[in-house]
Amino acid sequence: MALGDLMAFRFPQSAVVSNHFDDCGSSQDYADLLSQRRDSDTASCSYGNATVTSIATTTGNDATSSMAYLPQAIVLCELRHDAFEASTPTGPSDSGVVSKWRPKDRMKTGCVALVLCLNISVDPPDVIKISPCARMECWIDPFSMAPQKALETIGKNLSLQYERWQPKARYKVQLDPTVEEVKKLCNTCRRYAKAERVLFHYNGHGVPKPTANGEIWLFNKSYTQYIPLPISDLDSWLKTPSIYVFDCSAAGMIVNAFRELPNWGSSNYSGSTGDCILLAACEAHETLPQSEEFPADVFTSCLTTPIPMALRWFCKRSLLRESLDYSLIDKIPGRQTDRKTLLGELNWIFTAVTDTIAWNVLPHDLFQRLFRQDLLVASLFRNFLLAERIMRSANCSPISHPMLPPTHQHHMWDAWDMAAEICLSQLPSLVGDPNAEYQSSPFFSEQLTAFEVWLDHGSEHKKPPEQLPIVLQVLLSQCHRFRALVLLGRFLDMGPWAVDLALSVGIFPYVLKLLQTTTPELRQILVFIWTKILALDKSCQVDLVKDGGHAYFIRFLDSMEAYPEQRAMAAFVLAVIVDGHRRGQEACVGANLINVCLRHLQASTPNNAPTEPLFLQWLCLCLGKLWEDFTEAQIIGLRSDAPRIYAPLLFEPQPEVRASAVFSLGTLLDIGFDSSRDGGERDEEYDDDEKNRAEISIVKSLLSVVSDGSPLVRAEVAVALARFAFGHKQHLKSIAAACWKPQSSSSLRSLPSLANIKATGSGNIVSSQIGPLLRVGNDSSSLVRDGRVSTSSPLANTGIMHGSPLSDDSSLHSDSGILDDGVSNGVVNHIRPKPLDDAMYSQCVLAMCTLAKDPSPRIANLGRQVLSIIGIEPVVAKPVMTSVCRIRPGEPTSASTTPLTGLARSSSWFDMNGGHLPLKFRTPPVSPPRQSYLTGMRRVCSLEFRPHPINSPDSGLADPLIGHGESSGVSERSSLPHSTIYNWSCGHFSKPLLTVADDTEETIARREEREKFALEHIAKCQRSSVCRLNKPVTCWDTRFDNGAKTALLQPFSPIVVAADENERIRVWNYEEGTDRTVLNAFDNHIFPEKGISKLCLVNELDDSLLLVASSNGNIRIWKDYSVKDSQKLVTAFSSIQGHKPGLRHLNAVVDWQQQSGYLYASGEILSIMLWDLDKEQLVNSIPSSSDCGISALSASQVHGGQVAAGFSDGAVRLYDVRMPQMLVCTSRPHIRPHTQQVERVVGISFQPGLDPGKIVSASQAGDIEFLDIRNNSDTYLTIDAHRGSLTALAVHRHAPIVASGSAKQLIKVFSLEGEQLGSIRYHHPSFMAQKMGSVGCLAFHPYQVLLAAGAADAGVSIHS
């Protein structure tokens, strides 16, 4: 199961259905619900690896009980297996499209200019007023007092009304002004506001309508004339950014005039439309409403006093119109800013409603600009929506620039009307009785319920929830906050699109502010919400550090009350905070995050209860990011003994934890890229010896997992070794140079080899570590084995490449140097002493070479990058395909037989500049090859290494590169391979965490159908008595050069897969009626050397994967292998490690056991490697108890943990990994008593049925032996099937039949009683009527009596 799939932190839906959350339910209840959900999820989702399904069938009077085990375990289907080779998921973004929610630049309105042209008591000439007529201006009747006093009072009131929305702005009022006064006002406001916005409010109720030329009217000094003011002049004085409010009839004329200004909106215009906002009371052809139902300045009243205006308008249309005294509206108790009062709650609901309408109707960018950039502009536009609603009822249409779509009929206005009615119904009692208690409106509760209903049924592909802005408003209320946060968490969990929507609506400042609260019940949900936000957008790290938010998450991480999965989220948040952010790193180091994380890592050691893997993973990643390129943190980590704490984590069962631990250890290596260091002062704080000891500890840890089963882990090892190589490149270069120094023997000068290097007291070997794996001497015979010349560097020797170069523990303690005195004096003179010993450096070089020949292409590429850092250039040699067979020793050959085309040179001579660094490697001409053994050689495709020219002036340990005037530092840093585990792991939090991804109905139905098919056919197989297999189904030419080496039949579709010795894999449909065209054909890898030894199906009851085992022990597992050109490599690793020294051919044998999830691998080694594919880890090494190699291997498909092995000396052994001693028994059935002749076992298998002790074994001599381990003294049945020529054996998994193939072009079929049921000589009667070739492979169908046979003549046939 993927790490964290069993998320304990799931918000129970039942917890948020009831409205009782308004009372802020108890946090204990919430924790209990979480716990119940956690327990039920864990119980329902976990299963053992060995779950079995049993069937019982009865036939006739005999009740025979048979069980067919259908393994439920599924492996290699986690997130990490999804296109690891093809793509690298990116982590949280800090720029680009996901940060579009951030307002580009915050704006503030700094100055407000109010211009009122009322000329009270004098009506303008173009206005004919009705009677009675609208008279109120700013809620004052201008005729209730002297005109001048009324004018001043109205001006003062208007100023106060605006101040409610923007108290900090400077307000300037001009009453019935002249053009000069307005000009002065505009210039003063712009001068004061500087780059901030200026608001210009114009009330033209006492002057004529604007002209068609775009002029507004003012007065002369004596008020005897109306003076026009061109809009162009006004615009030039006020400049931008600005916002204009025009409250007059025909206000649309002014908007048109702005639009017609020359170049208005072009890039060279100082007042670009992007910074100029217009609000006008009506269209160009309209007159303001005059009904006494409205105030005269109805537009201004809507913009500045929306609640009184909205309530007055609503009351006249409501059922309350007869019972409510309108004068009470002016006496609404409370303050607008106090949400617990009637007035405050009405204002809060109005804000929520208008925000919601705008968010649902406006384009995203426009909403951001008008409703999130400037507080005053946002308030005016909210209120503008009300103005549109009210004035359209009077046949008047307010307009704006930018233009808004119509909103006056939006259904959210109905919600506002209902909320207003409920609030107003309480108004008489509240005004009449000061002690009466106000009952809060159910508006927000109901809207949260509506949001919850959407969450139950909505998705990314449906319309977004329109209540999102209301959820944001609810966060302001302590009463509804918890429920709102829980629902918000559920919404954010739906995916990055949901997080982006929430951020664009403006959620960020609210959840940032909430980190200052100490309410314990909010902690878990806040951590979850921040996890979701930071999984999308890394740029929030700056805001968190600035507000001290990191401390909140460190406290949560260190608390023991939360579940480990929740604390993993806190670790993730902290990792993002410190990721590439120096201030974040410094703040977290100051808050003691290193010790907190290390303490929890230490608590996870095996002696304690197991810790949630996701928590361990993110503790490691958090620390890795914290001390990445930050020397101060690295020193604290080393002093806190971090390498020792990390060591056990490298063997955790989860590959993600192991990879994260490797990443963290790698970033703990200081390679001199800390830009904050000043002259290296901090280096002196930490003793060099301590640092070297710590580095040795880190490197030993890294080398211990260089052959880990997971590519995820090995990729991080390669990246970490690259960092180490960069910091120690000069010493590693000297080791590499010594390894490629040519032999003194003139006969070998044209061939690369290790130098004649004497390790102290250990003879002619390259350190005690390399010794067991690589023998180097003066004897030329070590270079010519089996007539084949090793033309590649010894470091590329297969014996080293495949198998851990670190298997000899004694080597880790070796102090013997790799160079003798002469070499070290003559070749390398180090500028500073070597910090580590040569043995350690040589192990590192070997590990780098191992990685460069990794079966995973991506890891191999990383390994080659690492080698290039230390001056070894990988050379890819394409295969030279020749028809010449391998030459046997001593045979004469012709010089013209095989040219050495494509033979890559892999040796170089080094000019060491008189023994002084820097190294300058150069490559002289290659000497003519010695024809005695080079000619006629068949070149095997391989990967070679050679040193390449390095002219870098650096030496020894890398110095700090930044700040030393070296421009190469940054480019060298960028050339280092980059870790992917952090970005890859971040992807986990972008996915839904609160819902377990259940199998789709289609998947479940397919599984059930396959199980039914399997059970029915198993029963048929068990009842089948005579199966002659003499009916050919089909046959075809595979076009393999040397025939099929191995094949398998898919269980649930008519598909056969076959492979040849060149590791070419082909897939066919063999069903009758098809033309048997190739469904897919692909190469297992680009360097096919040894051929394929086995094909297996993994997860055969589900979406099966193809396991391909090469003869050199490399395992590659493919998915989508039967679809043309769609195959993807799921994972790859080397299954055989620590093999015998000097071994050239491993002849690996492997088998897969779905029951246990184990892969067994062996060959010419002294043990059986036991790999757990779920953990992708070598979990055990079973001693073979023999000096001979294993030549055949079979895992029981019904008894997990049992495996049978056949040996090259004819012995057969049965092992059970569940037993302490593992070896169950040994038998030697293939040793002839009279001749004592030993025959190699070529095939072995468990007999069909449930009996764990019955085995079938076949030797090369042609005898098939039937053994029962309960009587292991002798075999109970022997069949002499093929005399001296048996090449293949197949035993049906369920039917009582055995098939054997011979080199003499014959297949025989036997029953379990030894009776020969039939024989096969031809692929197909119609197949050119020729005999099949030497039989290369046999494979039965798992659930049907079908046999696939592959022969040396390239034919494959199927028989039933």
Side-chain angles (χ1 to χ4, degrees):
M1 274 188 194
L3 285 180
D5 272 0
L6 295 178
M7 268 296 304
F9 186 47
R10 299 194 174 96
F11 303 118
Q13 296 189 12
S14 58
V16 286
V17 172
S18 160
N19 288 340
H20 296 306
F21 272 86
D22 303 343
D23 303 325
C24 261
S26 123
S27 62
Q28 184 58 45
D29 295 342
Y30 178 60
D32 292 343
L33 283 163
L34 285 179
S35 176
Q36 290 165 19
R37 181 69 181 266
R38 171 192 173 93
D39 296 340
S40 65
D41 284 344
T42 307
S44 64
C45 295
S46 59
Y47 51 77
N49 274 347
T51 308
V52 295
T53 303
S54 65
I55 59 168
T57 60
T58 57
T59 51
N61 298 325
D62 301 324
T64 58
S65 175
S66 65
M67 289 181 85
Y69 284 171
L70 301 180
Q72 305 297 311
I74 303 175
V75 297
L76 303 175
C77 55
E78 310 291 0
L79 180 66
R80 65 180 179 269
H81 302 119
D82 193 17
F84 169 82
E85 297 291 336
S87 63
T88 307
T90 54
S93 172
D94 52 1
S95 62
V97 69
V98 297
S99 288
K100 64 187 179 185
W101 60 269
R102 276 187 193 274
K104 296 287 185 295
D105 39 354
R106 284 278 184 195
M107 187 73 69
K108 189 169 81 173
T109 301
C111 202
V112 178
L114 306 174
V115 176
L116 281 77
C117 298
L118 295 178
N119 201 9
I120 295 171
S121 75
V122 179
D123 289 339
D126 59 350
V127 174
I128 300 171
K129 291 192 176 178
I130 63 171
S131 182
C133 174
R135 294 164 63 169
M136 306 285 279
E137 300 275 358
C138 294
W139 305 107
I140 290 171
D141 184 351
F143 298 102
S144 65
M145 57 188 86
Q148 186 57 36
K149 185 179 179 185
L151 185 63
E152 291 171 0
T153 307
I154 291 168
K156 186 178 178 184
N157 259 22
L158 182 61
S159 181
L160 288 172
Q161 287 171 195
Y162 268 112
E163 279 181 42
R164 285 201 197 106
W165 306 107
Q166 178 60 295
K168 294 181 180 176
R170 178 175 289 190
Y171 289 85
K172 294 189 174 297
V173 184
Q174 283 290 353
L175 307 173
D176 294 348
T178 63
V179 172
E180 282 302 315
E181 287 169 339
V182 170
K183 180 179 181 181
K184 183 181 176 184
L185 172 70
C186 291
N187 288 333
T188 304
C189 286
R190 173 48 62 202
R191 192 164 56 249
Y192 174 79
K194 297 176 184 169
E196 292 176 346
R197 199 186 304 277
V198 175
L199 183 145
F200 181 85
H201 179 103
Y202 173 74
N203 180 325
H205 296 172
V207 293
K209 295 176 185 175
T211 68
N213 294 331
E215 298 160 318
I216 59 174
W217 296 97
L218 301 172
F219 301 96
N220 63 359
K221 285 187 180 179
S222 57
Y223 297 100
T224 57
Q225 285 182 316
Y226 298 113
I227 307 295
L229 169 62
I231 288 301
S232 55
D233 290 354
L234 183 62
D235 183 55
S236 66
W237 300 333
L238 213 53
K239 301 186 174 65
T240 58
S242 55
I243 177 168
Y244 296 88
V245 178
F246 295 107
D247 187 354
C248 58
S249 294
M253 291 275 198
I254 307 170
V255 176
N256 295 338
F258 265 100
R259 289 177 180 149
E260 290 166 11
L261 286 174
N263 298 322
W264 199 57
S266 66
S267 57
N268 57 358
Y269 175 63
S270 62
S272 100
T273 53
D275 287 325
C276 185
I277 296 170
L278 308 175
L279 296 174
C282 57
E283 296 271 15
H285 61 277
E286 293 175 344
T287 304
L288 292 177
Q290 293 187 20
S291 166
E292 67 171 346
E293 174 189 351
F294 301 105
D297 64 346
V298 58
F299 187 59
T300 299
S301 296
C302 287
L303 293 183
T304 58
T305 55
I307 301 302
M309 189 68 230
L311 293 179
R312 276 181 162 76
W313 182 80
F314 168 71
C315 282
K316 293 194 168 146
R317 287 157 179 75
S318 144
L319 296 174
L320 297 171
R321 62 179 176 273
E322 294 174 3
S323 60
L324 187 68
D325 180 2
Y326 293 163
S327 64
L328 290 179
I329 290 176
D330 296 325
K331 299 175 184 175
I332 293 177
R335 300 188 313 277
Q336 275 194 331
T337 52
D338 184 357
R339 288 184 294 275
K340 292 179 181 175
T341 63
L342 176 54
L343 182 60
E345 186 164 63
L346 277 169
N347 186 62
W348 186 27
I349 294 171
F350 177 81
T351 301
V353 166
T354 48
D355 236 21
T356 301
I357 292 172
W359 189 71
N360 282 290
V361 168
L362 300 189
H364 176 271
D365 292 339
L366 191 58
F367 176 80
Q368 287 292 326
R369 182 182 156 207
L370 300 182
F371 286 81
R372 292 294 179 261
Q373 205 174 39
D374 183 323
L375 286 174
L376 181 57
V377 171
S379 300
L380 289 177
F381 267 94
R382 282 192 201 101
N383 303 341
F384 178 80
L385 301 183
L386 173 71
E388 187 193 9
R389 185 188 193 206
I390 290 176
M391 294 181 73
R392 276 188 182 257
S393 70
N395 298 317
C396 196
S397 304
I399 56 174
S400 66
H401 177 85
M403 189 181 294
L404 304 186
T407 60
H408 61 290
Q409 291 181 324
H410 196 280
H411 63 267
M412 279 305 293
W413 285 120
D414 296 334
W416 159 252
D417 290 344
M418 183 178 175
E421 191 164 68
I422 290 171
C423 291
L424 286 176
S425 64
Q426 298 184 55
L427 187 54
S429 61
L430 289 172
V431 173
D433 180 8
N435 297 321
E437 190 175 337
Y438 168 62
Q439 299 295 319
S440 294
S441 165
F443 172 81
F444 288 105
S445 262
E446 290 166 355
Q447 292 299 320
L448 286 179
T449 301
F451 182 48
E452 187 175 358
V453 170
W454 187 94
L455 288 175
D456 291 337
H457 303 285
S459 72
E460 180 179 4
H461 307 294
K462 295 184 179 178
K463 186 182 174 187
E466 61 183 26
Q467 295 82 15
L468 209 49
I470 296 174
V471 175
L472 179 144
Q473 290 293 326
V474 172
L475 294 181
L476 298 167
S477 160
Q478 199 168 351
C479 174
H480 301 290
R481 185 176 293 154
F482 177 72
R483 184 185 179 200
L485 285 172
V486 169
L487 293 176
L488 178 62
R490 281 182 59 192
F491 178 66
L492 298 182
D493 195 50
M494 297 180 87
W497 63 272
V499 182
D500 192 40
L501 271 180
L503 289 171
S504 68
V505 86
I507 216 89
F508 183 77
Y510 292 76
V511 290
L512 184 62
K513 187 85 172 167
L514 283 174
L515 292 180
Q516 297 171 14
T517 66
T518 54
T519 316
E521 62 261 23
L522 297 184
R523 292 189 311 163
Q524 296 173 354
I525 181 61
L526 276 175
V527 168
F528 180 82
I529 286 171
W530 273 104
T531 298
K532 285 295 177 181
I533 291 173
L534 287 171
L536 177 79
D537 194 345
K538 170 184 165 184
S539 68
C540 305
Q541 61 182 182
V542 179
D543 308 82
L544 280 169
V545 174
K546 196 162 82 176
D547 279 36
H550 62 282
Y552 187 91
F553 297 101
I554 294 175
R555 285 196 301 273
F556 186 86
L557 176 69
D558 203 22
S559 70
M560 300 305 291
E561 293 84 25
Y563 288 123
E565 298 95 328
Q566 298 166 331
R567 290 158 68 202
M569 294 179 195
F572 163 74
V573 170
L574 290 163
V576 178
I577 287 174
V578 299
D579 179 21
H581 184 216
R582 181 46 50 87
R583 284 189 178 174
Q585 288 175 311
E586 290 167 350
C588 289
V589 166
N592 201 31
L593 177 58
I594 292 178
N595 288 323
V596 168
C597 290
L598 288 176
R599 188 169 70 250
H600 289 296
L601 284 175
Q602 207 163 4
S604 71
T605 49
N607 300 330
N608 300 293
T611 306
E612 168 63 36
L614 189 69
F615 184 41
L616 290 180
Q617 178 184 350
W618 277 102
L619 284 173
C620 293
L621 291 172
C622 179
L623 282 174
K625 282 292 175 185
L626 180 54
W627 54 47
E628 186 174 35
D629 301 335
F630 185 25
T631 308
E632 181 186 335
Q634 288 168 348
I635 290 171
I636 294 172
L638 292 174
R639 283 183 172 158
S640 302
D641 209 7
R644 180 188 60 79
I645 294 170
Y646 270 101
L649 295 172
L650 299 176
F651 303 98
E652 282 286 318
Q654 294 77 18
E656 295 89 345
V657 176
R658 304 198 297 271
S660 302
V662 171
F663 163 75
S664 196
L665 283 173
T667 55
L668 194 51
L669 292 167
D670 176 19
I671 56 170
F673 279 120
D674 187 349
S675 56
S676 71
R677 284 196 288 183
D678 40 0
E681 291 174 13
R682 291 182 185 167
D683 273 355
E684 295 168 13
E685 297 175 11
Y686 196 58
D687 182 63
D688 276 347
D689 288 339
E690 284 184 76
K691 186 173 181 181
N692 292 340
R693 280 198 298 275
E695 284 203 336
I696 289 173
S697 173
I698 291 172
V699 171
K700 282 182 179 177
S701 294
L702 294 176
L703 295 179
S704 69
V705 286
V706 79
S707 297
D708 190 276
S710 170
L712 203 62
V713 179
R714 299 198 304 276
E716 294 309 311
V717 174
V719 172
L721 285 177
R723 286 178 65 92
F724 175 74
F726 192 90
H728 295 251
K729 68 172 77 169
Q730 219 52 54
H731 307 302
L732 288 163
K733 280 177 186 175
S734 68
I735 296 293
C739 289
W740 271 271
K741 190 172 184 293
Q743 295 278 20
S744 56
S745 168
S746 60
S747 66
L748 296 175
R749 275 181 189 160
S750 64
L751 291 172
S753 72
L754 284 172
N756 260 340
I757 302 163
K758 291 184 177 63
T760 312
S762 60
N764 241 357
I765 60 173
V766 184
S767 88
S768 62
Q769 196 280 327
I770 307 179
L773 297 175
L774 183 64
R775 301 289 175 188
V776 178
N778 290 330
D779 182 8
S780 63
S781 65
S782 65
L783 292 167
V784 184
R785 296 189 186 92
D786 301 327
R788 193 181 292 200
V789 183
S790 170
T791 54
S792 61
S793 157
L795 279 180
N797 184 295
T798 324
I800 297 172
M801 289 305 125
H802 304 296
S804 170
L806 319 159
S807 53
D808 185 358
D809 289 338
S810 64
S811 64
L812 298 176
H813 311 292
S814 166
D815 294 322
S816 57
I818 198 170
L819 302 173
D820 64 7
D821 295 340
V823 174
S824 43
N825 288 338
V827 177
V828 182
N829 288 331
H830 292 286
I831 290 172
R832 63 177 75 177
K834 286 190 181 183
L836 312 180
D837 67 358
D838 286 332
M840 182 64 74
Y841 283 128
S842 64
Q843 289 176 47
C844 290
V845 174
L846 283 169
M848 294 168 191
C849 293
T850 301
L851 290 166
K853 294 200 75 175
D854 196 275
S856 160
R858 188 162 144 198
I859 310 297
N861 184 48
L862 286 171
R864 292 194 286 273
Q865 290 181 53
V866 180
L867 285 177
S868 67
I869 294 171
I870 62 168
I872 300 177
E873 177 188 350
V875 178
V876 177
K878 295 297 178 188
V880 181
M881 295 300 180
T882 72
S883 59
V884 180
C885 298
R886 192 170 64 185
I887 304 301
R888 294 184 180 83
E891 283 187 359
T893 56
S894 161
S896 62
T897 308
T898 309
L900 286 174
T901 317
L903 179 59
R905 281 165 47 203
S906 58
S907 68
S908 298
W909 280 253
F910 311 134
D911 173 11
M912 307 304 268
N913 288 346
H916 297 288
L917 297 171
L919 303 177
K920 290 183 182 292
F921 296 179
R922 62 184 175 81
T923 310
V926 175
S927 306
R930 308 226 351 135
Q931 301 206 351
S932 61
Y933 51 78
L934 279 179
T935 51
M937 181 186 68
R938 181 177 182 274
R939 180 74 183 97
V940 177
C941 189
S942 67
L943 177 66
E944 304 176 342
F945 308 109
R946 70 178 178 200
H948 63 103
I950 297 287
N951 297 313
S952 53
D954 48 37
S955 62
L957 289 168
D959 291 315
L961 295 170
I962 300 170
H964 283 253
E966 290 185 22
S967 60
S968 64
V970 177
S971 63
E972 287 198 42
R973 172 65 194 270
S974 63
S975 70
L976 285 179
H978 296 294
S979 166
T980 57
I981 182 64
Y982 170 74
N983 284 345
W984 179 86
S985 299
C986 288
H988 169 80
F989 293 110
S990 300
K991 294 179 167 51
L993 301 175
L994 304 180
T995 52
V996 178
D998 295 324
D999 291 333
T1000 62
E1001 291 181 12
E1002 184 185 349
T1003 306
I1004 295 169
R1006 186 181 63 214
R1007 169 89 190 201
E1008 288 175 351
E1009 183 184 341
R1010 288 182 171 183
E1011 286 184 354
K1012 183 181 176 186
F1013 174 92
L1015 294 175
E1016 288 174 355
H1017 283 78
I1018 288 170
K1020 284 182 184 176
C1021 287
Q1022 290 170 342
R1023 289 196 298 267
S1024 60
S1025 55
V1026 178
C1027 305
R1028 300 187 182 280
L1029 290 177
N1030 54 4
K1031 180 186 174 186
V1033 175
T1034 185
C1035 62
W1036 63 94
D1037 183 1
T1038 62
R1039 304 191 188 282
F1040 288 143
D1041 292 342
N1042 298 310
K1045 192 173 179 186
T1046 180
L1048 67 80
L1049 292 162
Q1050 267 200 7
F1052 304 108
S1053 50
I1055 287 175
V1056 63
V1057 186
D1060 69 353
E1061 66 175 16
N1062 291 323
E1063 307 213 25
R1064 182 80 176 155
I1065 299 167
R1066 288 197 171 102
V1067 186
W1068 297 268
N1069 184 328
Y1070 60 80
E1071 202 165 38
E1072 288 185 26
T1074 64
D1075 55 2
R1076 295 184 300 280
T1077 52
V1078 177
L1079 296 178
N1080 195 19
F1082 59 97
D1083 290 314
N1084 190 33
H1085 63 118
I1086 57 173
F1087 299 115
E1089 290 184 351
K1090 303 295 181 187
I1092 290 175
S1093 69
K1094 181 89 171 189
L1095 295 175
C1096 300
L1097 279 186
V1098 177
N1099 306 335
E1100 68 176 31
L1101 287 169
D1102 299 273
D1103 291 326
S1104 63
L1105 306 173
L1106 181 66
L1107 186 150
V1108 183
S1110 300
S1111 299
N1112 58 6
N1114 284 345
I1115 305 293
R1116 292 174 180 84
I1117 299 178
W1118 301 87
K1119 72 175 186 178
D1120 302 331
Y1121 56 90
S1122 59
V1123 183
K1124 190 167 183 61
D1125 299 330
S1126 298
Q1127 71 279 355
K1128 295 185 185 70
L1129 188 61
V1130 173
T1131 188
F1133 62 97
S1134 177
S1135 66
I1136 295 182
Q1137 300 176 3
H1139 39 76
K1140 290 183 283 190
L1143 190 67
R1144 285 189 58 80
H1145 301 297
L1146 283 173
N1147 298 321
V1149 288
V1150 302
D1151 203 10
W1152 161 246
Q1153 193 173 58
Q1154 187 78 40
Q1155 281 282 5
S1156 58
Y1158 290 156
L1159 178 80
Y1160 302 88
S1162 191
E1164 300 295 332
I1165 59 173
L1166 304 181
S1167 59
I1168 301 172
M1169 300 289 179
L1170 178 61
W1171 292 86
D1172 186 323
L1173 286 200
D1174 190 41
K1175 300 174 182 176
E1176 294 182 67
Q1177 197 173 32
L1178 179 65
V1179 291
N1180 212 333
S1181 180
I1182 308 170
S1184 65
S1185 307
S1186 170
D1187 293 333
C1188 295
I1190 294 177
S1191 54
L1193 199 64
S1194 176
S1196 169
Q1197 295 306 316
V1198 290
H1199 296 286
Q1202 279 195 352
V1203 59
F1207 289 76
S1208 54
D1209 64 355
V1212 171
R1213 288 178 174 84
L1214 179 68
Y1215 304 89
D1216 193 328
V1217 298
R1218 298 166 297 184
M1219 295 172 59
Q1221 70 275 20
M1222 290 193 275
L1223 177 62
V1224 177
C1225 70
T1226 302
S1227 178
R1228 299 185 180 276
H1230 300 289
I1231 298 178
R1232 302 295 180 190
H1234 49 285
T1235 63
Q1236 291 301 307
Q1237 184 180 351
V1238 173
E1239 295 293 349
R1240 177 187 183 87
V1241 177
V1242 294
I1244 192 167
S1245 181
F1246 286 86
Q1247 292 187 26
L1250 292 176
D1251 198 326
K1254 290 191 173 181
I1255 294 169
V1256 181
S1257 167
S1259 77
Q1260 200 168 347
D1263 61 315
I1264 302 175
E1265 307 287 349
F1266 290 73
L1267 298 89
D1268 187 338
I1269 60 162
R1270 288 166 297 193
N1271 178 19
N1272 59 13
S1273 59
D1274 204 353
T1275 60
Y1276 70 84
L1277 178 64
T1278 299
I1279 302 172
D1280 284 321
H1282 309 274
R1283 291 184 181 174
S1285 61
L1286 192 143
T1287 54
L1289 174 75
V1291 179
H1292 200 285
R1293 198 186 293 180
H1294 302 287
I1297 50 172
V1298 176
S1300 62
S1302 126
K1304 296 177 180 176
Q1305 305 170 292
L1306 176 66
I1307 298 171
K1308 291 183 180 180
V1309 183
F1310 301 94
S1311 70
L1312 295 184
E1313 287 74 37
E1315 177 191 353
Q1316 182 172 338
L1317 301 175
S1319 61
I1320 303 167
R1321 294 180 181 274
Y1322 300 93
H1323 283 302
H1324 198 278
S1326 63
F1327 193 64
M1328 300 171 63
Q1330 78 179 53
K1331 280 188 175 183
M1332 66 172 64
S1334 171
V1335 179
C1337 59
L1338 295 172
F1340 276 112
H1341 189 285
Y1343 306 117
Q1344 292 178 298
V1345 184
L1346 285 177
L1347 177 68
D1353 59 3
V1356 166
S1357 54
I1358 294 176
H1359 307 267
S1360 70

